[in-house]
Amino acid sequence: MTAMSVPQATSPDGQKPSIGQTTDNLLLDGRVHLRQPLNGYRVAIDPVFLAAATPARDGQTVLDLGCGAGAAALCLLARVPGCHVTGWELQPELAELARENSARNDVRERFAATCRNGLERVSANHGRFDLVMTNPPYLADGQATPSPTAGKSLANQESEGSLQDWLCAALHYLRPGGHLSVIHRADRLHELLAALHLRAGDIAVFPLWPRQGQAARRVLLRARKDSGAPTRLLPGLELHGAGQHFTPEADAILRKAQSLCLD
């Protein structure tokens, strides 16, 4: 484990997030090497599913809005090595980790991470990307007590903007007809759909069920900018079978880098 020392952002409560020690972890059964903070925001399965649901092809450009340490971008490149990913991350230390992880996985020419507030829409990048994928903070501002770890609080709780701000920014950077992929809490699906109303269509909603008979906690959502096609609710996927074992369908995504078709 190593200590990081780079310029620091400031959280809403004035604390300076510190990455501190990091750990080395593997995703996709060892295809992706990820260094991430020991404390603070830690990668789970969400970015892996987000990457699997992003329908990129070789030669296309992808924006990872709020890329963190680069987990989703690296998982996407493991499956689609010919695409090009730009990562924007608000926290300088996480952006530095994303650049380090890009080098560790030998994809520096295809994954460039920058410290940037992607919610500040810049005209120079308007309509630039073929696809945008994002994993916005799950908690609305004021909905819960912020984590005492400033970096984790910035990753988990809205501070720079609302969920609608995130989706509007994503669509701003997306070319006409391009695809947006999002993973978020199932209980905020109504907010996701409201933010996309009249801005995108051909919306596919894909629930992730913890196991059979249990309510979904996460949803994957894919939309096409400027489309008028109707919204579709798909069957979704059960994550766990007996005990804590992943189902074969979930395991194929989490370990074998299989894509997730939302068509």
Side-chain angles (χ1 to χ4, degrees):
M1 296 182 288
T2 61
M4 303 292 295
S5 179
V6 296
Q8 293 180 325
T10 302
S11 70
D13 60 2
Q15 296 184 48
K16 291 184 176 180
S18 176
I19 294 297
Q21 292 183 315
T22 60
T23 62
D24 293 329
N25 301 99
L26 300 176
L27 300 174
L28 298 181
D29 207 21
R31 292 177 176 84
V32 170
H33 294 253
L34 185 77
R35 179 163 290 173
Q36 62 177 328
L38 175 63
N39 299 304
Y41 175 75
R42 299 276 298 174
V43 167
I45 65 174
D46 291 1
V48 184
F49 273 94
L50 176 62
T54 300
R57 301 190 303 272
D58 287 346
Q60 289 189 313
T61 58
V62 183
L63 172 62
D64 186 355
L65 185 59
C67 68
L74 295 170
C75 287
L76 179 62
L77 285 166
R79 180 171 59 83
V80 191
C83 70
H84 298 268
V85 183
T86 296
W88 292 342
E89 170 53 46
L90 175 65
Q91 298 186 58
E93 292 177 315
L94 283 179
E96 180 65 24
L97 272 182
R99 288 190 288 271
E100 180 182 338
N101 286 325
S102 176
R104 286 163 60 87
N105 289 273
D106 197 26
V107 292
R108 282 177 293 185
E109 294 182 355
R110 292 173 285 132
F111 174 38
T114 303
C115 179
R116 173 174 175 174
N117 183 355
L119 302 191
E120 296 178 353
R121 288 177 262 178
V122 179
S123 59
N125 290 305
H126 180 257
R128 167 185 168 186
F129 296 95
D130 296 313
L131 305 101
V132 176
M133 60 181 183
T134 187
N135 181 10
Y138 284 156
L139 298 174
D141 186 27
Q143 188 181 66
T145 302
S147 168
T149 304
K152 186 175 183 179
S153 178
L154 282 171
N156 290 339
Q157 192 156 4
E158 295 168 2
S159 58
E160 295 299 312
S162 66
L163 181 55
Q164 179 170 334
D165 292 329
W166 276 83
L167 296 188
C168 287
L171 291 173
H172 172 81
Y173 295 117
L174 192 62
R175 67 164 177 80
H179 283 100
L180 167 65
S181 298
V182 185
I183 188 167
H184 214 277
R185 288 167 51 128
D187 61 2
R188 299 190 72 183
L189 176 59
H190 63 293
E191 297 178 64
L192 293 167
L193 295 175
L196 295 175
H197 183 59
L198 299 180
R199 297 184 177 96
D202 193 20
I203 299 171
V205 179
F206 190 93
L208 295 176
W209 315 103
R211 60 184 72 249
Q212 187 176 15
Q214 293 186 356
R217 298 175 184 172
R218 297 284 184 270
V219 290
L220 286 159
L221 184 148
R222 196 188 71 193
R224 187 155 54 91
K225 183 176 179 178
D226 298 331
S227 171
T231 297
R232 293 167 292 128
L233 178 59
L234 302 178
L237 183 146
E238 293 176 12
L239 297 176
H240 295 98
Q244 293 302 311
H245 295 289
F246 286 110
T247 61
E249 294 80 8
D251 193 71
I253 292 167
L254 295 170
R255 300 185 186 279
K256 301 175 184 177
Q258 182 173 300
S259 64
L260 187 57
C261 182
L262 272 61
D263 290 328

